[in-house]
Structures are given as C-alpha cells and as structure tokens.
Amino acid sequence: MGKIPSILMIYTGGTIGMVKDYGTGALKAFDFEGLLKHIPELGQLTCNIKNTSLTDPIDSSNMNPVYWEELVSIIETHYHDHDGFVVLHGSDTMSYSASALSFMLENLNKPIIFTGSQLPIGDLRTDAKENLITALQIAAAQEHGNPIIREVCLYFEYKLYRGNRTTKINAEHFEAFNSPNYPSLAESGFNLKIHHANLLVRPKKSKALVVHKKMDQNVAILKLFPGMGAVLLDSILRTPQLKVLILETYGAGNAPTDEWFLNTLEQAIKSGIHIINVTQCAGGSVVMGHYETSKQLSQIQLIDGKDITTEAAVTKAMYLVGSGVSDALFKTVFETSLRGEMH
Ligand code: ASP
C-alpha cells in the first residue's frame, strides 16, 4: 500500500465554519480543532488531515486580493509536504476566489478543492458534512501515487466543477453553484465518479509551481441595460488608473449600435483601456460578428471573452495586468485559455 495522502484544510471563513449557539440563536465561529469530535466520519477517511486558517477568517463578502495573497502563500508554504488542499470558503464569492487561485497558481499539480455550505456545520440539516467529507475524499484521490485532480475546483452538492467555470446561482438551495459552459469533473452518488475526459490536460513533464501574488485591482465591470446613458459609460471609463473594463453585453455579445456608445468605447480603447466582451447570459458564448450589433465591437478591437464567466474574466484581468503583460499582447493572451477557463 502506498503512502497515506496528507491533506491541508484551510478555513477562510463563511457559514460552513459556524455553529449555532442554541442559547442565543446566533451563529459563531466553529473551533476547527474540535472538528473530528463533531464529524467523527472524518476518522474513516484514508488520509491525514491537518488544518489551518486565514489569520482573520471572514464572511466571503469581504473577500479581496489581499486575502487571496494570504491564501496562495499558505498553499505555497505547504505545497511540497501535502498531496492536496481543501479550502473552506463562504459561498458568496467562492467562484471569484476559485477563479483567482486558478490564475495565481501556475503549473499546479495537486488538487485545490473549494467547498462551503448553505447551512452551518453545527445545524441539524446541514449540507456542510457531505460537502466537506467528499471534498476531502476528492483531494485525497490518487492513482499510481499521484493525485487524480490537479486543478482548482469547487465541490458543492454532489458535483465537482472546474472552479473558474462556476458561478453562484442560488442563495437558498443546497445546489448553489452551476458551471453553465463546462461539464462537471466528478459526481458523488453511490460511487464517486470522476469524469477523466473533462479534467485539464496535463503537460507531460510537470513544471515547478509558479505562484503569482500580484493582482491589479484597476478593473471594472459594467452590465449593459436598455436606457444606460452616455454619462455613466463615460464616467466609468474616466476612472483614474482604469486598465480593464469587463463589459457584460446582451446575448451572444451584442450591444447598442449608437454612435456615442461605439465612439466612447473606441476612444477608451485607443487611450489604452482593454475592454472585454462577456455575455450577461447565464450560459453560452459571445460570438463576435454574428450580429450587426457585435460586428462593430469587433472592428473597434473589443476583446472576445468567448464563454468565460464574469468571475473568471475579472480575476484573469487582475492577474494579467498584475503580471505585467504588455498592452500589445493583452488581447491575444486574454483570448487564450490559460487554465481551462474558456473554450
Ligand atoms: N455570507 C456567507 C459567506 O459567503 C455565506 C456562505 O458562507 O455561504 O461567507
């Protein structure tokens, strides 16, 4: 029998780590040292589990690149002496964090599984136990002594997804996430079924992990709506230091053909701001030039976001600008899939 996998569980905050104080009814942070006592099932897993946490665990609505940097630093420190990582995270911004980490960790060769829950771990009907136990099991899954999953994933309610393909779709249901443009990587049912064909293709020779910690925050997201005025568009584009605007367009990447609209975008692009066309639809892809209403966007050099999620687009933009990708290369690099985030 091979070596027992060693998994590091990193608590960042969120509902999953809460217990209800039945005296006051309030939610309070869970003592992770006592985890095994509360979930004795963990003792049956064939892996060694260690745990650590962010210095100050947060509700994930407070997430920002400073915490991402702390998170990747923890992973970097423990990368060589662990076989996999489970990140316990609030569900609200989990898709953003999973996307961010997928870009920040280049040449990743081990599983990083994000999970959380809709109900606190101490709640009678909690979804936390199943999510946590299966996430740990997936992180520990190996073949020939190597981890099966070697990418940043999100596990929630019986499904494992590529993290940078996910989006939070429901604030109440246990099935809180979806991956509209990419199939699941694994499903938990009677057995744990891994869909090998959907996993990221790994390079033959594994390269050393490269950790990118600089995420540039000079990015913005603007969702189009009928009636949006010139003043709004203009003022967003005049944001000091703005480098990238993610423009959430209609359907297959369509936008108004008004002259003021196209001229404003064109001027901004000429002044060095990168504008990315992503669809505001829950699923499907931008197809630049398919309709007259997107042909002109293509002509003025809007970047084609294809089927990327807004969460992945904004974090990819932060990563590329942070890494110092030149203005001349930005469009080409953005339109290339780096971590399986677009087709
Ligand atoms: N507001 C919480 C958070 O995102 C919700 C959750 O944990 O799912 O941290």
Side-chain angles (χ1 to χ4, degrees):
M1 210 181 91
K3 190 171 124 306
I4 291 179
S6 158
I7 308 301
L8 184 67
M9 196 162 69
I10 309 168
Y11 179 55
T12 67
T15 303
I16 190 164
M18 304 278 168
V19 276
K20 201 175 200 152
D21 180 327
Y22 284 101
T24 64
L27 289 176
K28 56 179 196 191
F30 190 82
D31 164 22
F32 264 80
E33 293 304 322
L35 194 66
L36 206 60
K37 207 170 75 208
H38 286 81
I39 315 181
E41 296 91 328
L42 291 180
Q44 291 175 35
L45 293 174
T46 36
C47 59
N48 293 318
I49 307 164
K50 298 213 183 88
N51 65 72
T52 185
S53 76
L54 292 184
T55 317
D56 291 310
I58 50 163
D59 183 298
S60 80
S61 302
N62 286 317
M63 189 47 77
N64 65 46
V66 176
Y67 293 111
W68 291 335
E69 189 183 336
E70 187 181 348
L71 194 50
V72 293
S73 297
I74 294 175
I75 292 170
E76 185 180 27
T77 307
H78 296 277
Y79 192 70
H80 292 292
D81 45 333
H82 288 84
D83 300 290
F85 300 83
V86 169
V87 180
L88 304 178
H89 194 290
S91 59
D92 288 348
T93 60
M94 198 187 296
S95 292
Y96 289 90
S97 293
S99 299
L101 262 70
S102 76
F103 298 115
M104 295 169 90
L105 300 167
E106 191 179 345
N107 303 330
L108 183 67
N109 214 8
K110 297 187 178 182
I112 302 203
I113 316 293
F114 276 75
T115 195
S117 64
Q118 293 283 50
L119 285 175
I121 206 157
D123 195 288
L124 213 51
R125 291 186 310 105
T126 189
D127 51 332
K129 274 193 191 185
E130 198 285 321
N131 286 348
L132 177 56
I133 290 169
T134 309
L136 284 163
Q137 222 166 16
I138 291 168
Q142 299 199 336
E143 61 187 357
H144 315 302
N146 291 313
I148 296 179
I149 308 288
R150 305 187 198 183
E151 51 184 296
V152 179
C153 298
L154 187 154
Y155 181 78
F156 223 88
E157 192 62 3
Y158 306 112
K159 294 232 171 76
L160 181 76
Y161 297 118
R162 176 167 303 146
N164 59 29
R165 288 292 198 154
T166 62
T167 194
K168 184 169 179 182
I169 50 153
N170 201 294
E172 295 169 11
H173 294 171
F174 284 158
E175 205 175 326
F177 290 89
N178 196 1
S179 169
N181 289 331
Y182 199 77
S184 64
L185 307 185
E187 272 165 74
S188 165
F190 188 77
N191 290 311
L192 181 62
K193 198 160 184 263
I194 300 198
H195 306 306
H196 289 265
N198 300 342
L199 304 181
L200 267 185
V201 180
R202 302 162 200 149
K204 287 221 170 60
K205 268 214 172 107
S206 69
K207 297 190 193 145
L209 179 77
V210 182
V211 181
H212 301 269
K213 295 187 181 164
K214 215 162 161 256
M215 297 290 269
D216 193 298
Q217 287 172 249
N218 292 304
V219 299
I221 300 173
L222 177 63
K223 180 175 184 163
L224 292 185
F225 59 93
M228 189 186 79
V231 178
L232 178 68
L233 182 64
D234 199 52
S235 57
I236 287 224
L237 288 167
R238 281 179 199 276
T239 306
Q241 322 288 325
L242 186 71
K243 304 257 179 51
V244 181
L245 175 69
I246 315 286
L247 192 66
E248 281 197 356
T249 56
Y250 305 124
N254 307 315
T257 46
D258 298 315
E259 220 175 277
W260 66 263
F261 178 78
L262 292 166
N263 283 344
T264 311
L265 294 184
E266 190 173 14
Q267 283 318 310
I269 292 168
K270 285 198 172 130
S271 77
I273 296 175
H274 304 289
I275 305 183
I276 297 159
N277 189 357
V278 304
T279 174
Q280 54 184 256
C281 289
S285 181
V286 162
V287 186
M288 302 262 277
H290 188 52
Y291 288 93
E292 191 58 39
T293 43
S294 70
K295 222 185 203 120
Q296 280 143 306
L297 299 180
S298 178
Q299 279 157 3
I300 60 170
Q301 294 294 302
L302 239 76
I303 296 172
D304 187 350
K306 304 180 187 178
D307 62 348
I308 200 168
T309 60
T310 297
E311 293 88 332
V314 74
T315 51
K316 185 174 183 176
M318 288 179 175
Y319 159 69
L320 293 182
V321 179
S323 307
V325 169
S326 70
D327 283 348
L329 277 180
F330 190 93
K331 185 173 188 294
T332 310
V333 181
F334 196 97
E335 289 176 349
T336 308
S337 174
L338 302 179
R339 313 278 193 265
E341 74 282 4
M342 51 168 50
H343 63 60

